Amino acid sequence: MSQTGDGRARRVDARANRRRILDVAEEVFGKGGESASTEEVARLAGVGIATVFRHFPTKAALLQAVLVRRFDRLREQAEALLGTTDPGSAFFEFFRHLVADAATKIAIAEALLDAGGDSDGEATQASNGLRRAVGALLQHAQQAGAVRDDVELPEVYALLVATSRAAAHTNLDDEVKARALAIVFDGLAPHRNARVQAHQQPELSQPHGQPPT
Amino acid sequence: MSQTGDGRARRVDARANRRRILDVAEEVFGKGGESASTEEVARLAGVGIATVFRHFPTKAALLQAVLVRRFDRLREQAEALLGTTDPGSAFFEFFRHLVADAATKIAIAEALLDAGGDSDGEATQASNGLRRAVGALLQHAQQAGAVRDDVELPEVYALLVATSRAAAHTNLDDEVKARALAIVFDGLAPHRNARVQAHQQPELSQPHGQPPT
DNA sequence: TACGATCCGAAGTGTCGACTCCGATTATGC
DNA sequence: GCATAATCGGAGTCGACACTTCGGATCGTA
């Protein structure tokens, strides 16, 4: 990616600009969705429009590049969580993280689902990587007894996407978001009277209780 | 609405056109979201563009009119359900209905949440009416013991919106949608071992069981 | 420092969609 | 039926935005 088509290394200013454009685009598309204009990206990145189009031949390509980077990062985070804490915490932690993250990244949340359509190859591939990582988290959480084992990845992923999308449109209070998420988590948990594990579970018995972070 | 500003009755062709435009707009915006063009609405309604703009001075006004009609209808349905069946069924039934309905009405699902922003007065008002009706359904369901009573309207409504939005973007299998919904319903249900009522509850114990309709 | 390859940005071009104008058409009261 | 006022629709205008062009600045190398 830091090489031009015929194998020559890019100039340093070109690399710096490319990186800055990507960063700004993530911010801009995250806030305004994909309807945000390319001109705004260029302006905030402090470059001309032509520079943006030189690095990314089309607006769709730019958006795709942003998505790929984002998906890859999320996947890495999911994979990292897989080894470090107990499986139950890892799963719910990542779920919560993704929802909170999507709150400032409308475009990501929108794309999570739409990437199912095979129209944009690279982004779809990255999205699938993330999906697989979530699948691994789910499987481990189920084996540990933290998630009921009669649910499967498709519906869990659908819920993940749905809550992320909703969180992205910010009219909601944080408290309400947390409580809605707690309801979903409760639906994912094994029967309550069968729970014995020590790992933290969202607690709804105290009406206004903030779920553990 | 069938009167012009100064109190004169509209001509019959004008009334018919207005109605047709509204119907088509609901269909078009439902399928393509609010980014669908006004020209397409006009074309499918069999009228000129000017006619559309004569009835609705701006595209936003047209969209709002569609939303108001839709929200009002949904509210009526919710209110009707309140008296006819047992409260638990009524609540879950309406939840399921709204989600299924939103599946073909992207714009509605999008607007459900966005209407929280007070930018478009009339649509917001209609949206609030629907929200109140859902609140009544929820309250009755809780009194009947069909829904845990430590949840409140804001988070329930948020879940309703979230699932509707997700369902609107059609990449999902119906079966998966049903199972995701069942997880949410399970999170809303009272503790499973405390359930005694006869009204139907979504059943997840059989992994692939279709929730009751 | 000098020079060529590479990269940059301001000012375009083309398209698309929201919205308007105006002559033609049609409903409605007499 | 006829006058007339309301309504209609096609052919515009206007602005926004994705994308291009080209003269000039900058980097990398000797």
Side-chain angles (χ1 to χ4, degrees):
Chain A
M1 247 338 167
S2 64
Q3 302 243 317
T4 169
D6 51 0
R8 291 184 69 82
R10 278 202 164 89
R11 264 168 46 172
V12 289
D13 52 349
R15 264 204 301 273
N17 274 340
R18 185 195 164 86
R19 180 187 206 80
R20 199 142 24 108
I21 289 169
L22 264 182
D23 287 344
V24 169
E26 179 164 340
E27 166 81 17
V28 169
F29 289 142
K31 206 170 49 151
E34 54 187 313
S35 71
S37 78
T38 314
E39 283 180 61
E40 192 182 356
V41 174
R43 193 169 46 79
L44 291 183
V47 301
I49 309 174
T51 302
V52 176
F53 281 98
R54 200 168 301 110
H55 284 284
F56 306 95
T58 169
K59 182 184 179 176
L62 171 57
L63 191 55
Q64 174 168 307
V66 169
L67 292 178
V68 167
R69 206 175 61 157
R70 188 105 208 126
F71 284 147
D72 282 349
R73 261 187 216 155
L74 288 170
R75 177 182 48 74
E76 282 162 18
Q77 290 172 5
E79 287 168 354
L81 270 174
L82 203 55
T84 56
T85 40
D86 76 284
S89 298
F91 174 79
F92 288 110
E93 182 76 22
F94 185 72
F95 203 121
R96 201 171 351 242
H97 168 68
L98 194 52
V99 171
D101 187 76
T104 58
K105 298 286 149 62
I106 294 186
I108 309 295
E110 302 288 323
L112 266 175
L113 189 53
D114 297 343
D118 51 2
S119 51
D120 25 41
E122 221 176 325
T124 303
Q125 205 172 333
S127 170
N128 286 340
L130 174 57
R131 188 192 182 94
R132 266 194 298 278
V134 172
L137 280 175
L138 173 63
Q139 194 181 346
H140 283 70
Q142 285 175 317
Q143 282 166 0
V147 171
R148 56 199 302 175
D149 47 42
D150 57 358
V151 302
E152 287 169 19
L153 181 58
E155 58 264 29
V156 172
Y157 204 74
L159 285 175
L160 190 54
V161 172
T163 48
S164 295
R165 265 172 175 280
H169 292 251
T170 46
N171 293 336
L172 280 180
D173 196 39
D174 274 355
E175 165 108 357
V176 173
K177 281 184 198 167
R179 300 185 68 193
L181 207 50
I183 292 173
V184 173
F185 284 0
D186 225 62
L188 287 170
H191 288 202
R192 244 155 272 144
N193 53 342
R195 270 201 238 144
V196 287
Q197 270 85 355
H199 67 73
Q200 297 198 304
Q201 284 289 344
E203 183 55 81
L204 256 184
S205 307
Q206 310 125 276
H208 286 265
Q210 190 84 359
T213 43
Chain B
M1 252 332 172
S2 66
Q3 300 244 321
T4 169
D6 53 358
R8 290 183 68 83
R10 278 203 164 85
R11 266 168 47 171
V12 289
D13 51 350
R15 265 205 301 273
N17 274 341
R18 184 195 165 85
R19 180 188 205 81
R20 200 142 22 109
I21 290 169
L22 265 183
D23 287 344
V24 170
E26 179 165 340
E27 167 81 16
V28 169
F29 289 141
K31 207 171 47 149
E34 54 187 313
S35 71
S37 77
T38 314
E39 283 180 62
E40 192 183 354
V41 174
R43 192 171 45 81
L44 292 183
V47 303
I49 309 175
T51 303
V52 176
F53 281 99
R54 199 168 303 111
H55 283 284
F56 306 95
T58 168
K59 182 184 180 179
L62 171 57
L63 190 57
Q64 172 167 308
V66 170
L67 292 178
V68 167
R69 206 175 61 159
R70 189 103 208 129
F71 284 145
D72 283 349
R73 260 188 217 155
L74 288 170
R75 177 182 48 73
E76 282 163 17
Q77 290 172 4
E79 288 168 354
L81 269 175
L82 203 54
T84 55
T85 39
D86 78 282
S89 299
F91 174 78
F92 288 110
E93 182 75 23
F94 185 72
F95 202 122
R96 204 173 346 246
H97 169 69
L98 194 52
V99 171
D101 186 77
T104 57
K105 298 284 150 61
I106 294 187
I108 309 296
E110 303 288 323
L112 266 175
L113 189 53
D114 296 344
D118 50 3
S119 51
D120 24 42
E122 220 175 329
T124 303
Q125 205 172 333
S127 170
N128 286 341
L130 174 57
R131 190 192 181 95
R132 267 195 298 278
V134 172
L137 280 175
L138 174 63
Q139 193 180 346
H140 282 71
Q142 285 176 317
Q143 282 166 0
V147 171
R148 55 198 303 175
D149 47 41
D150 56 358
V151 301
E152 289 170 17
L153 182 57
E155 58 263 29
V156 171
Y157 204 73
L159 284 175
L160 189 54
V161 172
T163 47
S164 295
R165 282 171 90 83
H169 292 251
T170 46
N171 292 336
L172 280 180
D173 196 39
D174 274 355
E175 165 108 359
V176 173
K177 281 184 198 167
R179 301 185 67 194
L181 209 50
I183 292 174
V184 174
F185 284 1
D186 225 61
L188 288 170
H191 288 203
R192 245 154 270 145
N193 52 342
R195 269 200 239 145
V196 286
Q197 269 85 355
H199 67 75
Q200 296 198 305
Q201 284 289 344
E203 183 55 79
L204 256 183
S205 306
Q206 309 124 276
H208 286 265
Q210 190 85 359
T213 43

